[in-house]
């Protein structure tokens, strides 16, 4: 992916955790690859915790370098990358400081990208301050999640930002959309005649989408306790993955064609009746347990968390899509912290054959299955039945495996690297449009409201397990189970 697009990348929150772990490492990898970033492109970090550029580069050496290049750092590439970085010491609470920013970047080339790696409470003040000094022209702005606390607050932020930047200037980032297997899901579906006839209610029995984490809330207890898993993961990541899996073939891969089809899926989600929420939505909270031999504390004892907190750290949902392709097919969504493993995957369970002359094993659920693993190992695996060697017609499950790191010699591009290059080059297809975001909030809100009104505590689960038993019971009612429970 070569580019001549010159740019000035302004990073607000330049000393923050996201900048250190994800954004600057991604930009370094693009720089190190050669040709992905224009030679004239500059990175301007904005922060107030260091005094000058020399101090900031020391900070970057200490906090960013450990997160780059798994096989070691190319010191020559690292040194040349640091030459791209400039620094502006700015107090985001003082609009007059943005004059200093304007002066610092006025002679730098190309499109201006403003990346807001800050809390959402600063999005609107930063946008107003940028506009006050004329920096909203020839610019793109990147907004991190969470974008609001509910539909009303999300609309308030979008309204305010939309007064300053046009929709085509706004890049609402969801890093799961940049992952290689998600891109390959699009290629698998729309580049091969093999799957499209099967990708519908007549042949698909159920679909599972899981994002599981071993980690707890870490140092984000105060933030997380006011957010919860439904807002933090379902409203954005899980519903975006659902829309990619279920969307109709777009007219083309341009940004609006793709996002139009995703929006149709989100608008077709069957509204959840408040009286039915207990049957189709499970929320849980982790208690003390053991993960990989290490004891971990209960959520309620984590720093920053209220001892009597009823915030959910686990959500499982049964979702239906009311359209011709998917009517009657259950989609099971699941996410949680302190679970048994770190995994993100999409599981498409195809229906069993209608009649088997080969024995009962050919009729079992899950005999034909597609598993798209997003993390930690990015793979696509197709399961089918084959005859075991020897006498008799004994069937066994086998799989066809696309492991990207073995099949493709060139290294995979990390999600943030792909998305940052898309921002610089003006490609919007992998970013969330406002109407998509509104549709997701509108569907999620009744669940949030019912949970808040019921005052029922989340169901407990021990850290190191796969969540509350009620999540398994929900699938059992439909004659199926989570993938890891089959063995």
């Amino acid at each position: 992916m070569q580019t001549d697009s010159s740019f000035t990348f302004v990073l607000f929150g330049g000393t923050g955790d996201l900048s250190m772990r994800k954004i600057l490492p991604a930009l370094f990898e693009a720089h190190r690859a050669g040709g992905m970033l224009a030679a004239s492109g500059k990175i301007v970090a904005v922060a107030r915790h260091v005094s000058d550029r020399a101090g900031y580069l020391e900070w970057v050496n200490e906090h960013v370098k450990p997160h780059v290049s798994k096989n070691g750092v190319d010191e020559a590439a690292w040194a040349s990358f640091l030459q791209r970085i400039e620094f502006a010491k700015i107090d985001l609470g003082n609009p007059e400081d943005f004059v200093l920013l304007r002066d610092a970047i006025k002679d730098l080339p190309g499109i201006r990208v403003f990346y807001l790696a800050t809390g959402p409470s600063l999005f609107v003040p930063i946008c107003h301050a940028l506009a006050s000094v004329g920096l909203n022209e020839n610019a793109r702005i990147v907004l991190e999640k969470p974008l609001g606390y509910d539909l009303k607050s999300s609309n308030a932020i979008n309204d305010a930002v939309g007064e300053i930047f046009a929709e085509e200037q706004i890049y609402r980032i969801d890093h799961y959309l940049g992952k290689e297997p998600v891109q390959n899901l699009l290629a698998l579906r729309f580049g091969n005649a093999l799957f499209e006839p099967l990708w519908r209610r007549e042949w698909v029995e159920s679909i599972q989408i899981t994002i599981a984490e071993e980690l707890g809330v870490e140092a984000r207890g105060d933030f997380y306790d006011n957010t919860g898993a439904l807002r933090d993961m379902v409203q954005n990541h899980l519903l975006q993955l659902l829309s990619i899996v279920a969307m109709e073939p777009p007219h083309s891969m341009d940004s609006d064609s793709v996002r139009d089809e995703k929006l149709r899926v989100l608008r077709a989600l069957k509204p959840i009746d408040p009286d039915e929420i207990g049957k189709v939505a499970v929320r849980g909270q982790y208690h003390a347990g053991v993960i990989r031999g290490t004891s971990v504390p209960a959520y309620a004892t984590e720093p920053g968390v209220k001892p009597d907190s009823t915030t959910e750290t686990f959500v499982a949902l049964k979702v239906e899509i009311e359209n011709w392709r998917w009517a009657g097919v259950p989609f099971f969504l699941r996410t949680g912290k302190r679970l048994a493993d770190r995994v993100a995957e999409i599981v498409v369970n195809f229906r069993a054959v209608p009649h088997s002359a080969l024995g009962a094993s050919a009729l079992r659920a899950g005999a034909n299955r597609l598993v798209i693993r997003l993390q930690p190992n990015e793979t696509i695996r197709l399961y089918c039945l084959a005859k075991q060697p020897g006498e008799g017609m004994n069937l066994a499950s086998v799989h066809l495996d696309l492991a990207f790191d073995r099949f493709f010699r060139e290294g995979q591009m990390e999600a943030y690297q792909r998305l940052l290059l898309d921002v610089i080059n003006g490609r919007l297809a992998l970013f969330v449009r406002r109407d998509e975001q509104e549709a997701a909030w509108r569907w999620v809100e009744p669940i949030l409201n019912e949970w808040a009104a019921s005052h029922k505590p989340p169901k407990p689960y021990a850290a190191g397990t796969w969540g509350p038993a009620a999540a398994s019971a929900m699938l059992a009612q439909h004659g199926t189970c989570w993938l890891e429970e089959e063995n």
Side-chain angles (χ1 to χ4, degrees):
M1 186 188 299
Q2 302 289 318
T3 182
D4 296 320
S5 301
S6 190
F7 65 92
T8 298
F9 189 97
V10 181
L11 179 57
F12 290 93
T15 56
D17 185 62
L18 181 64
S19 297
M20 300 297 103
R21 291 187 303 107
K22 295 295 184 181
I23 300 171
L24 289 173
L27 289 170
F28 169 71
E29 293 299 339
H31 168 86
R32 185 181 64 84
M36 288 187 176
L37 296 180
S40 58
K42 288 289 186 180
I43 301 165
V44 181
V46 174
R48 62 176 181 175
H49 298 302
V50 292
S51 58
D52 55 21
R53 180 175 182 270
Y56 185 71
L57 293 184
E58 288 183 15
W59 180 279
V60 168
N61 271 312
E62 179 181 354
H63 294 91
V64 178
K65 212 171 183 182
H67 298 291
V68 304
S69 296
K70 298 174 183 177
N71 298 320
V73 178
D74 179 334
E75 292 296 341
W78 181 253
S80 63
F81 175 68
L82 294 183
Q83 292 175 11
R84 288 186 183 269
I85 299 178
E86 304 293 340
F87 177 74
K89 182 179 173 63
I90 288 179
D91 181 354
L92 299 182
N94 182 8
E96 295 179 1
D97 276 11
F98 281 73
V99 176
L100 303 175
L101 177 62
R102 181 193 64 193
D103 294 343
I105 68 175
K106 65 180 180 181
D107 296 325
L108 297 181
I111 189 74
R112 290 167 179 162
V113 174
F114 298 108
Y115 198 115
L116 274 55
T118 68
S121 63
L122 293 172
F123 290 174
V124 173
I126 289 173
C127 289
H128 280 298
L130 289 171
S132 72
V133 294
L135 289 178
N136 57 324
E137 303 292 334
N138 188 36
R140 296 168 187 148
I141 190 151
V142 185
L143 304 179
E144 270 284 348
K145 77 170 186 74
L147 203 68
Y149 184 79
D150 52 19
L151 179 61
K152 181 179 179 181
S153 59
S154 176
N155 282 342
I157 293 174
N158 278 315
D159 286 344
V161 175
E163 291 176 359
I164 298 163
F165 294 93
E167 179 64 27
E168 61 268 20
Q169 293 178 278
I170 302 172
Y171 291 69
R172 300 173 189 87
I173 196 166
D174 186 326
H175 71 274
Y176 272 84
L177 298 183
K179 289 182 177 290
E180 196 73 56
V182 176
Q183 301 302 295
N184 260 297
L185 175 58
L186 294 172
L188 196 75
R189 283 197 59 194
F190 305 134
N192 298 283
L194 174 65
F195 288 103
E196 177 54 30
L198 305 179
W199 213 263
R200 59 191 65 248
R201 61 183 302 273
E202 291 86 355
W203 303 110
V204 174
E205 183 174 74
S206 66
I207 294 177
Q208 301 174 17
I209 306 177
T210 294
I211 302 177
E213 300 177 273
E214 286 185 337
L215 293 175
V217 295
E218 304 305 295
R220 301 195 316 154
D222 185 57
F223 159 78
Y224 196 89
D225 207 37
N226 291 296
T227 305
L230 192 65
R231 291 183 176 92
D232 190 44
M233 298 296 290
V234 176
Q235 184 272 332
N236 38 69
H237 298 326
L238 279 167
L239 288 185
Q240 282 293 316
L241 291 177
L242 169 67
S243 65
I244 290 284
V245 170
M247 65 188 279
E248 294 296 320
H251 171 70
S252 70
M253 294 307 293
D254 71 75
S255 59
D256 280 330
S257 292
V258 172
R259 297 189 296 180
D260 284 348
E261 297 304 334
K262 287 163 57 189
L263 177 63
R264 289 188 177 96
V265 173
L266 294 170
R267 287 179 171 170
L269 293 177
K270 181 180 179 180
I272 293 183
D273 186 330
D275 294 334
E276 296 292 312
I277 285 177
K279 299 178 182 178
V280 298
V282 177
R283 63 172 180 153
Q285 184 185 101
Y286 66 82
H287 287 201
V290 178
I291 296 180
R292 301 192 186 279
T294 301
S295 297
V296 297
Y299 172 76
T301 65
E302 298 274 21
V305 175
K306 296 184 291 293
D308 59 348
S309 173
T310 58
T311 298
E312 77 282 354
T313 62
F314 175 95
V315 174
L317 300 169
K318 173 181 172 284
V319 180
E320 295 181 59
I321 300 173
E322 296 184 313
N323 62 21
W324 276 61
R325 183 182 289 268
W326 295 114
V329 176
F331 287 71
F332 298 106
L333 312 184
R334 176 178 58 163
T335 185
K337 291 189 174 295
R338 292 293 191 206
L339 296 182
D341 199 2
R342 173 181 175 263
V343 62
E345 64 187 8
I346 300 163
V347 180
V348 181
N349 291 311
F350 294 100
R351 295 188 186 279
V353 295
H355 169 74
S356 174
L358 302 176
S361 59
L363 296 172
R364 74 172 188 264
N368 298 146
R369 167 182 290 144
L370 185 68
V371 178
I372 300 136
R373 176 68 64 92
L374 309 179
Q375 66 183 29
N377 303 313
E378 299 181 338
T379 61
I380 295 178
R381 182 170 286 182
L382 178 64
Y383 288 84
C384 54
L385 294 176
K387 178 189 176 297
Q388 293 185 30
E391 285 190 87
M393 185 58 72
N394 299 312
L395 303 182
S397 179
V398 297
H399 60 264
L400 308 175
D401 203 348
L402 171 55
F404 299 105
D405 57 349
R406 296 201 304 268
F407 194 85
F408 297 105
R409 292 184 177 180
E410 62 271 20
Q412 292 184 58
M413 191 180 294
E414 293 290 339
Y416 268 96
Q417 183 180 343
R418 171 180 287 105
L419 294 173
L420 294 180
L421 289 171
D422 278 2
V423 176
I424 290 169
N425 292 296
R427 296 187 285 260
L428 277 159
L430 300 182
F431 296 85
V432 180
R433 204 167 58 192
R434 175 174 179 170
D435 49 8
E436 288 182 77
Q437 193 174 68
E438 288 181 359
W441 272 120
R442 192 170 288 112
W443 185 81
V444 161
E445 259 199 343
I447 307 173
L448 289 169
N449 294 340
E450 178 62 21
W451 284 351
S454 71
H455 302 293
K456 293 180 181 178
K459 297 181 183 300
Y461 64 96
T465 67
W466 282 102
S472 298
M474 182 172 68
L475 270 68
Q477 292 174 358
H478 296 274
T480 187
C481 63
W482 298 106
L483 180 61
E484 76 279 352
E485 293 175 335
E486 289 197 353
N487 299 319

